Amino acid sequence: MLANIITILPEITLGIAALVVMLADLFFGKKVKNIAYILTQVFLIIAAWILLKSLNSHIHVGFEGQTLSNELTFILQEVIILVAFFVFIYCKEYIEDRKLPQGEFYVLSLLSILGALVLTSAHSLLTIYIGLELLSLPLYALLAIRRGFATGAEAAIKYFVLGAIASGLLLYGMSFIYGVTGSLDLTEIGRYLANPEMAHSQIVLIAMVLMIATATFKLGAVPFHMWVPDVYEGSPNAVTAFLASVPKVAAFAMLVNILMIGMPAQAFAWSKVLTVLAVLSIFFGNLLALAQKNVKRMLGYSTISHIGFVLLALILNPAAFAVSTALFYVIIYVLMSAAGFGVLIVLSVRGNEVENLADFAGLNRRNPWIAFIMLIVMFSMAGIPPLSGFTAKLFVIMGLIDTGHLGLGIYALIMSVIACYYYLRVIKSMYFDLPKNQTPVYANKVTLFGLSINAALILLLGIFPALLVTLISPIYGLF
């Protein structure tokens, strides 16, 4: 039992954190300024430290198959905590400026992060569902946290309704799998479905499609993408920054656990499904992003395109190569997404809700450093060398070519070139358009330092990708 508890110490830490932050804000919120923010960041640091201490631990299946701790779990959880830490730095001043309820924001965010950690370590269909709901339910409330604003309530309702449908699909798929195998443990399910009689079972393939639909809904892949641009646009910038980063890592973990551990024998089928979803996501994500003048909607459609690259990476062979390539892309994407929305948050703290392309006009004249950070983010998302976005796309495209998917590799390359247009529009607006407002843009020093570190990571991991490749290399022994 002690060994089981040790493996979920990060989850326990964040569960305690949510209770402590809630009570501290209730009793001391008016006496101690920013107590909810300070305690949240302290608990995230503690959870990250616990993970670092256990990084070299052996693989451990805990609670009779409910949880799994291995190198992939540790890496995903560390990324979730790191990105959340950055996002909260960016959000602090914005939340104060908008007079959003601080206690509620950080408690709901901590509960959502807790759900993300549960989802990454889930080794049972039951734990997957619990983690997914714990991740999603606080997000519904977060989207509507800005009281009195119809757009936030509309975004919350859209996400809630579609999320409820996705959860229903997941339960249907899980019930089919449990009915066929009689087990909730992913490893046992994988062994049972590897039997030649079950490999092509129609009910298993139907269940597979239903569970893929739920995971790709959370990721935002076509055709389950309808909520992404609307929710990104309707929610406050601080919530959008969180929504665009942490849940993506958790949904990726869910997809990998279900497919790579629970259904490796069905790879002939789910690889085709992922290929179709990836091709459609890259096409429609880029095509619709071209027409956007709202930067939040543009980044929403951009997300759909990036998820397409992640799905393409998952069809590579062998499975360890596929997961490591996709993991590299996911880590780089969430770093870029956090920095991109961080810039939007920084520009929005003086009353204006900066989200349109016109709001970036002449930003270089108003604050050259923030404009430079946004330049790095946009160039990286476009896949311009030597930034990490280029390296991530290069790994996927080269992997496709090396494994015999030449057509898909060429397609991904062409669509990457097309995507450059809408990223370069932001850069053109910042550096070549005249500003409507000549007032200099000032940013909190801590926030600006966090953004600078984030941008430096995007640049550093592009120049020295081996730093991240070495970190994720131990997962080769897992698949």
Side-chain angles (χ1 to χ4, degrees):
M1 178 57 69
L2 181 60
N4 289 338
I5 292 175
I6 290 174
T7 58
I8 61 166
L9 268 181
E11 289 91 331
I12 294 174
T13 302
L14 291 184
I16 294 172
L19 296 174
V20 171
V21 171
M22 180 175 61
L23 294 174
D25 181 72
L26 178 63
F27 291 106
F28 305 106
K30 295 181 180 179
K31 299 176 183 178
V32 182
K33 187 179 180 182
N34 298 321
I35 187 170
Y37 168 77
I38 293 169
L39 287 174
T40 297
Q41 296 292 60
V42 168
F43 274 105
L44 285 179
I45 292 171
I46 293 172
W49 178 79
I50 292 172
L51 278 170
L52 285 175
K53 284 293 183 180
S54 59
L55 187 59
N56 296 320
S57 301
H58 62 280
I59 298 173
H60 180 80
V61 178
F63 298 99
E64 298 183 359
Q66 297 298 313
T67 63
L68 173 66
S69 297
N70 56 26
E71 287 85 353
L72 179 60
T73 305
F74 297 141
I75 294 168
L76 289 170
Q77 292 186 344
E78 201 71 76
V79 170
I80 288 170
I81 292 173
L82 174 66
V83 172
F85 185 83
F86 276 121
V87 169
F88 291 152
I89 290 175
Y90 308 150
C91 292
K92 174 180 173 291
E93 196 175 1
Y94 178 92
I95 292 171
E96 294 174 4
D97 186 67
R98 293 296 186 279
K99 294 182 172 55
L100 298 179
Q102 291 192 34
E104 288 90 331
F105 177 86
Y106 291 113
V107 169
L108 290 170
S109 298
L110 283 169
L111 290 173
S112 191
I113 295 169
L114 173 58
L117 297 190
V118 171
L119 202 52
T120 56
S121 62
H123 193 249
S124 162
L125 296 181
L126 181 62
T127 322
I128 288 175
Y129 184 74
I130 292 172
L132 182 66
E133 292 305 299
L134 187 53
L135 168 72
S136 302
L137 291 174
L139 288 176
Y140 304 145
L142 272 176
L143 291 172
I145 198 169
R146 188 169 54 176
R147 295 162 190 159
F149 286 82
T151 54
E154 181 185 352
I157 291 171
K158 284 182 180 178
Y159 191 48
F160 169 72
V161 172
L162 294 173
I165 294 172
S167 295
L169 294 178
L170 180 67
L171 283 177
Y172 269 117
M174 288 180 171
S175 64
F176 290 155
I177 292 297
Y178 179 71
V180 169
T181 65
S183 176
L184 296 172
D185 185 280
L186 288 177
T187 301
E188 293 182 9
I189 290 171
R191 290 198 199 100
Y192 190 90
L193 297 183
N195 295 330
E197 298 177 358
M198 299 304 304
H200 294 79
S201 169
Q202 290 186 353
I203 195 168
V204 171
L205 297 181
I206 291 171
M208 176 198 74
V209 171
L210 292 173
M211 291 191 286
I212 289 176
T214 301
T216 49
F217 167 81
K218 293 299 179 183
L219 287 169
V222 173
F224 313 104
H225 68 289
M226 298 79 71
W227 63 273
V228 177
D230 294 337
V231 172
Y232 277 27
E233 181 184 16
S235 58
N237 286 345
V239 178
T240 308
F242 184 84
L243 180 66
S245 51
V246 170
K248 300 296 186 253
V249 183
F252 168 76
M254 172 185 170
L255 188 62
V256 168
N257 287 337
I258 290 174
L259 298 184
M260 299 295 183
I261 300 177
M263 295 183 163
Q266 283 68 39
F268 69 92
W270 57 251
S271 61
K272 295 177 182 177
V273 175
L274 294 186
T275 301
V276 173
L277 298 183
V279 169
L280 293 176
S281 297
I282 294 172
F283 179 78
F284 285 105
N286 285 326
L287 184 67
L288 295 172
L290 292 173
Q292 303 304 316
K293 294 184 179 179
N294 183 294
V295 175
K296 289 171 73 175
R297 289 186 70 86
M298 183 269 283
L299 289 175
Y301 284 115
S302 165
T303 295
I304 297 168
S305 173
H306 285 295
I307 294 304
F309 274 89
V310 174
L311 298 181
L312 281 181
L314 287 176
I315 70 171
L316 302 176
N317 285 310
F321 177 60
V323 175
S324 60
T325 305
L327 177 60
F328 186 95
Y329 200 104
V330 167
I331 293 173
I332 297 302
Y333 166 73
V334 294
L335 287 174
M336 296 187 300
S337 183
F341 283 105
V343 170
L344 288 176
I345 292 170
V346 167
L347 298 178
S348 300
V349 295
R350 297 293 181 263
N352 290 327
E353 194 75 11
V354 172
E355 56 183 43
N356 293 315
L357 191 61
D359 297 328
F360 285 84
L363 180 60
N364 183 54
R365 302 186 183 187
R366 301 175 64 196
N367 192 313
W369 186 245
I370 294 178
F372 179 66
I373 290 173
M374 195 61 171
L375 171 79
I376 290 177
V377 174
M378 292 294 101
F379 271 161
S380 184
M381 285 190 171
I384 305 297
L387 298 166
S388 54
F390 165 78
T391 308
K393 289 186 176 182
L394 179 66
F395 284 173
V396 175
I397 293 171
M398 292 303 297
L400 289 169
I401 294 172
D402 291 343
T403 54
H405 300 92
L406 179 61
L408 287 175
I410 294 173
Y411 170 78
L413 180 61
I414 293 172
M415 296 307 295
S416 296
V417 174
I418 293 173
C420 290
Y421 172 75
Y422 56 83
Y423 294 120
L424 293 177
R425 279 197 311 174
V426 179
I427 297 170
K428 179 257 183 187
S429 182
M430 292 191 300
Y431 283 89
F432 299 102
D433 290 352
L434 294 176
K436 294 180 179 180
N437 184 357
Q438 300 289 343
T439 306
V441 175
Y442 296 103
N444 179 282
K445 291 182 179 178
V446 175
T447 306
L448 200 57
F449 179 74
L451 270 175
S452 302
I453 296 296
N454 197 334
L457 283 174
I458 294 171
L459 177 60
L460 184 67
L461 293 177
I463 300 173
F464 304 106
L467 295 174
L468 185 53
V469 171
T470 302
L471 177 65
I472 64 180
S473 59
I475 71 172
Y476 270 83
L478 304 178
F479 300 96

Short mmCIF file of all heavy atoms in Angstrom, two decimals, residues 410-442:
data_model
loop_
_atom_site.label_atom_id
_atom_site.label_comp_id
_atom_site.label_asym_id
_atom_site.label_seq_id
_atom_site.Cartn_x
_atom_site.Cartn_y
_atom_site.Cartn_z
N ILE A 410 4.86 14.23 -47.97
CA ILE A 410 4.80 15.35 -48.91
C ILE A 410 3.58 16.24 -48.61
O ILE A 410 3.66 17.47 -48.64
CB ILE A 410 4.76 14.83 -50.35
CG1 ILE A 410 6.07 14.12 -50.69
CG2 ILE A 410 4.49 15.97 -51.34
CD1 ILE A 410 6.07 13.43 -52.04
N TYR A 411 2.46 15.59 -48.30
CA TYR A 411 1.24 16.34 -47.97
C TYR A 411 1.47 17.23 -46.75
O TYR A 411 1.10 18.41 -46.74
CB TYR A 411 0.11 15.35 -47.72
CG TYR A 411 -1.15 15.97 -47.15
CD1 TYR A 411 -2.03 16.68 -47.95
CD2 TYR A 411 -1.45 15.85 -45.79
CE1 TYR A 411 -3.18 17.24 -47.43
CE2 TYR A 411 -2.59 16.40 -45.26
CZ TYR A 411 -3.45 17.10 -46.08
OH TYR A 411 -4.59 17.66 -45.54
N ALA A 412 2.07 16.65 -45.70
CA ALA A 412 2.33 17.42 -44.48
C ALA A 412 3.26 18.59 -44.76
O ALA A 412 3.08 19.69 -44.22
CB ALA A 412 2.91 16.51 -43.40
N LEU A 413 4.25 18.36 -45.62
CA LEU A 413 5.20 19.42 -45.97
C LEU A 413 4.50 20.56 -46.71
O LEU A 413 4.71 21.75 -46.39
CB LEU A 413 6.32 18.84 -46.83
CG LEU A 413 7.41 19.81 -47.30
CD1 LEU A 413 8.11 20.43 -46.11
CD2 LEU A 413 8.40 19.10 -48.21
N ILE A 414 3.66 20.23 -47.67
CA ILE A 414 2.95 21.25 -48.44
C ILE A 414 2.03 22.06 -47.54
O ILE A 414 1.97 23.30 -47.61
CB ILE A 414 2.16 20.60 -49.60
CG1 ILE A 414 3.12 20.00 -50.63
CG2 ILE A 414 1.23 21.62 -50.26
CD1 ILE A 414 2.43 19.17 -51.69
N MET A 415 1.30 21.38 -46.66
CA MET A 415 0.38 22.07 -45.77
C MET A 415 1.12 22.95 -44.77
O MET A 415 0.62 24.00 -44.36
CB MET A 415 -0.51 21.07 -45.04
CG MET A 415 -1.45 20.27 -45.94
SD MET A 415 -2.46 21.29 -47.04
CE MET A 415 -3.47 22.18 -45.87
N SER A 416 2.32 22.55 -44.39
CA SER A 416 3.14 23.38 -43.50
C SER A 416 3.53 24.69 -44.18
O SER A 416 3.56 25.75 -43.53
CB SER A 416 4.39 22.62 -43.06
OG SER A 416 4.06 21.49 -42.29
N VAL A 417 3.83 24.61 -45.46
CA VAL A 417 4.18 25.82 -46.22
C VAL A 417 2.97 26.75 -46.31
O VAL A 417 3.08 27.97 -46.13
CB VAL A 417 4.68 25.45 -47.63
CG1 VAL A 417 4.90 26.71 -48.47
CG2 VAL A 417 5.97 24.66 -47.53
N ILE A 418 1.79 26.18 -46.56
CA ILE A 418 0.57 26.98 -46.64
C ILE A 418 0.28 27.66 -45.30
O ILE A 418 -0.14 28.82 -45.24
CB ILE A 418 -0.62 26.10 -47.07
CG1 ILE A 418 -0.43 25.60 -48.51
CG2 ILE A 418 -1.94 26.84 -46.94
CD1 ILE A 418 -1.46 24.60 -48.97
N ALA A 419 0.53 26.94 -44.22
CA ALA A 419 0.25 27.48 -42.88
C ALA A 419 1.10 28.69 -42.56
O ALA A 419 0.71 29.52 -41.72
CB ALA A 419 0.47 26.39 -41.83
N CYS A 420 2.25 28.82 -43.19
CA CYS A 420 3.13 29.96 -42.92
C CYS A 420 2.42 31.30 -43.14
O CYS A 420 2.71 32.29 -42.47
CB CYS A 420 4.38 29.90 -43.79
SG CYS A 420 5.53 28.58 -43.36
N TYR A 421 1.45 31.32 -44.06
CA TYR A 421 0.80 32.58 -44.42
C TYR A 421 0.13 33.24 -43.22
O TYR A 421 0.34 34.43 -42.95
CB TYR A 421 -0.22 32.35 -45.54
CG TYR A 421 -1.07 33.57 -45.83
CD1 TYR A 421 -0.55 34.65 -46.53
CD2 TYR A 421 -2.38 33.65 -45.37
CE1 TYR A 421 -1.33 35.78 -46.77
CE2 TYR A 421 -3.16 34.76 -45.61
CZ TYR A 421 -2.63 35.82 -46.30
OH TYR A 421 -3.39 36.94 -46.54
N TYR A 422 -0.69 32.48 -42.50
CA TYR A 422 -1.45 33.13 -41.42
C TYR A 422 -0.58 33.43 -40.20
O TYR A 422 -0.89 34.32 -39.41
CB TYR A 422 -2.71 32.35 -41.05
CG TYR A 422 -2.54 30.91 -40.65
CD1 TYR A 422 -2.20 30.56 -39.35
CD2 TYR A 422 -2.80 29.88 -41.56
CE1 TYR A 422 -2.09 29.24 -38.97
CE2 TYR A 422 -2.69 28.56 -41.19
CZ TYR A 422 -2.34 28.24 -39.89
OH TYR A 422 -2.24 26.92 -39.52
N TYR A 423 0.52 32.70 -40.02
CA TYR A 423 1.45 33.07 -38.95
C TYR A 423 2.22 34.34 -39.32
O TYR A 423 2.44 35.21 -38.47
CB TYR A 423 2.43 31.92 -38.68
CG TYR A 423 1.80 30.67 -38.13
CD1 TYR A 423 1.88 29.46 -38.80
CD2 TYR A 423 1.11 30.70 -36.91
CE1 TYR A 423 1.30 28.31 -38.29
CE2 TYR A 423 0.53 29.55 -36.39
CZ TYR A 423 0.63 28.36 -37.09
OH TYR A 423 0.06 27.24 -36.57
N LEU A 424 2.62 34.42 -40.58
CA LEU A 424 3.39 35.59 -41.01
C LEU A 424 2.54 36.86 -41.01
O LEU A 424 3.07 37.96 -40.90
CB LEU A 424 3.97 35.35 -42.41
CG LEU A 424 5.05 34.26 -42.50
CD1 LEU A 424 5.48 34.06 -43.94
CD2 LEU A 424 6.26 34.62 -41.63
N ARG A 425 1.22 36.72 -41.12
CA ARG A 425 0.35 37.89 -41.05
C ARG A 425 0.48 38.59 -39.70
O ARG A 425 0.45 39.82 -39.62
CB ARG A 425 -1.11 37.49 -41.29
CG ARG A 425 -1.48 37.34 -42.74
CD ARG A 425 -2.99 37.36 -42.92
NE ARG A 425 -3.67 36.46 -42.00
CZ ARG A 425 -4.99 36.40 -41.86
NH1 ARG A 425 -5.76 37.19 -42.57
NH2 ARG A 425 -5.53 35.54 -41.02
N VAL A 426 0.59 37.81 -38.64
CA VAL A 426 0.75 38.39 -37.30
C VAL A 426 2.08 39.14 -37.22
O VAL A 426 2.15 40.26 -36.69
CB VAL A 426 0.68 37.29 -36.22
CG1 VAL A 426 0.88 37.88 -34.83
CG2 VAL A 426 -0.65 36.55 -36.29
N ILE A 427 3.14 38.53 -37.76
CA ILE A 427 4.46 39.16 -37.73
C ILE A 427 4.46 40.44 -38.57
O ILE A 427 5.00 41.48 -38.16
CB ILE A 427 5.52 38.17 -38.24
CG1 ILE A 427 5.60 36.97 -37.31
CG2 ILE A 427 6.88 38.84 -38.37
CD1 ILE A 427 6.43 35.82 -37.82
N LYS A 428 3.83 40.37 -39.73
CA LYS A 428 3.74 41.56 -40.59
C LYS A 428 3.01 42.69 -39.87
O LYS A 428 3.41 43.86 -39.93
CB LYS A 428 3.03 41.17 -41.89
CG LYS A 428 2.84 42.31 -42.88
CD LYS A 428 1.40 42.83 -42.87
CE LYS A 428 1.19 43.91 -43.91
NZ LYS A 428 -0.15 44.54 -43.81
N SER A 429 1.92 42.36 -39.17
CA SER A 429 1.16 43.37 -38.45
C SER A 429 2.01 43.99 -37.34
O SER A 429 1.97 45.21 -37.13
CB SER A 429 -0.11 42.75 -37.86
OG SER A 429 -0.88 43.71 -37.19
N MET A 430 2.79 43.19 -36.62
CA MET A 430 3.60 43.71 -35.51
C MET A 430 4.73 44.61 -35.97
O MET A 430 5.06 45.60 -35.33
CB MET A 430 4.19 42.54 -34.70
CG MET A 430 3.18 41.73 -33.93
SD MET A 430 3.96 40.59 -32.76
CE MET A 430 4.96 39.58 -33.85
N TYR A 431 5.33 44.27 -37.11
CA TYR A 431 6.56 44.95 -37.51
C TYR A 431 6.38 45.95 -38.65
O TYR A 431 7.23 46.84 -38.82
CB TYR A 431 7.61 43.91 -37.91
CG TYR A 431 8.24 43.24 -36.73
CD1 TYR A 431 7.70 42.09 -36.16
CD2 TYR A 431 9.39 43.76 -36.13
CE1 TYR A 431 8.26 41.48 -35.06
CE2 TYR A 431 9.98 43.16 -35.04
CZ TYR A 431 9.41 42.02 -34.50
OH TYR A 431 9.97 41.42 -33.40
N PHE A 432 5.32 45.86 -39.43
CA PHE A 432 5.20 46.72 -40.60
C PHE A 432 3.95 47.61 -40.62
O PHE A 432 3.90 48.57 -41.38
CB PHE A 432 5.22 45.87 -41.89
CG PHE A 432 6.50 45.10 -42.06
CD1 PHE A 432 6.56 43.74 -41.78
CD2 PHE A 432 7.65 45.74 -42.48
CE1 PHE A 432 7.74 43.04 -41.93
CE2 PHE A 432 8.84 45.05 -42.63
CZ PHE A 432 8.89 43.69 -42.36
N ASP A 433 2.95 47.27 -39.79
CA ASP A 433 1.76 48.11 -39.74
C ASP A 433 1.93 49.22 -38.71
O ASP A 433 2.66 49.06 -37.72
CB ASP A 433 0.53 47.27 -39.39
CG ASP A 433 0.14 46.33 -40.52
OD1 ASP A 433 0.74 46.44 -41.61
OD2 ASP A 433 -0.74 45.47 -40.31
N LEU A 434 1.24 50.33 -38.95
CA LEU A 434 1.30 51.46 -38.03
C LEU A 434 0.38 51.20 -36.85
O LEU A 434 -0.75 50.75 -37.02
CB LEU A 434 0.89 52.75 -38.74
CG LEU A 434 1.84 53.23 -39.85
CD1 LEU A 434 1.25 54.47 -40.53
CD2 LEU A 434 3.22 53.53 -39.29
N PRO A 435 0.83 51.48 -35.63
CA PRO A 435 -0.02 51.24 -34.46
C PRO A 435 -1.17 52.24 -34.37
O PRO A 435 -1.00 53.43 -34.66
CB PRO A 435 0.95 51.41 -33.28
CG PRO A 435 2.02 52.31 -33.80
CD PRO A 435 2.16 52.00 -35.27
N LYS A 436 -2.34 51.73 -33.99
CA LYS A 436 -3.47 52.63 -33.78
C LYS A 436 -3.30 53.42 -32.49
O LYS A 436 -3.79 54.53 -32.34
CB LYS A 436 -4.77 51.82 -33.71
CG LYS A 436 -5.14 51.13 -35.02
CD LYS A 436 -6.44 50.36 -34.87
CE LYS A 436 -6.82 49.69 -36.18
NZ LYS A 436 -8.09 48.92 -36.06
N ASN A 437 -2.61 52.80 -31.54
CA ASN A 437 -2.37 53.42 -30.24
C ASN A 437 -0.88 53.50 -30.00
O ASN A 437 -0.19 52.48 -30.03
CB ASN A 437 -3.06 52.60 -29.15
CG ASN A 437 -2.94 53.24 -27.78
OD1 ASN A 437 -2.31 54.28 -27.61
ND2 ASN A 437 -3.57 52.61 -26.80
N GLN A 438 -0.35 54.70 -29.79
CA GLN A 438 1.09 54.88 -29.62
C GLN A 438 1.56 54.61 -28.18
O GLN A 438 2.76 54.66 -27.91
CB GLN A 438 1.47 56.31 -30.02
CG GLN A 438 1.16 56.67 -31.46
CD GLN A 438 2.06 55.98 -32.46
OE1 GLN A 438 3.13 55.48 -32.10
NE2 GLN A 438 1.63 55.93 -33.72
N THR A 439 0.63 54.35 -27.29
CA THR A 439 0.99 54.15 -25.88
C THR A 439 1.88 52.91 -25.73
O THR A 439 1.53 51.83 -26.21
CB THR A 439 -0.27 53.95 -25.02
OG1 THR A 439 -1.16 55.05 -25.24
CG2 THR A 439 0.09 53.87 -23.55
N PRO A 440 3.03 53.04 -25.07
CA PRO A 440 3.89 51.87 -24.87
C PRO A 440 3.18 50.78 -24.07
O PRO A 440 2.33 51.06 -23.23
CB PRO A 440 5.08 52.44 -24.08
CG PRO A 440 5.06 53.90 -24.36
CD PRO A 440 3.62 54.27 -24.54
N VAL A 441 3.53 49.54 -24.36
CA VAL A 441 2.97 48.39 -23.65
C VAL A 441 3.91 48.01 -22.52
O VAL A 441 5.10 47.73 -22.75
CB VAL A 441 2.77 47.19 -24.59
CG1 VAL A 441 2.30 45.97 -23.81
CG2 VAL A 441 1.77 47.54 -25.68
N TYR A 442 3.41 48.02 -21.29
CA TYR A 442 4.21 47.64 -20.14
C TYR A 442 3.75 46.28 -19.63
O TYR A 442 2.56 45.98 -19.65
CB TYR A 442 4.10 48.68 -19.03
CG TYR A 442 4.66 50.03 -19.41
CD1 TYR A 442 3.80 51.08 -19.75
CD2 TYR A 442 6.03 50.25 -19.44
CE1 TYR A 442 4.30 52.31 -20.11
CE2 TYR A 442 6.54 51.48 -19.81
CZ TYR A 442 5.68 52.51 -20.14
OH TYR A 442 6.18 53.73 -20.51
#
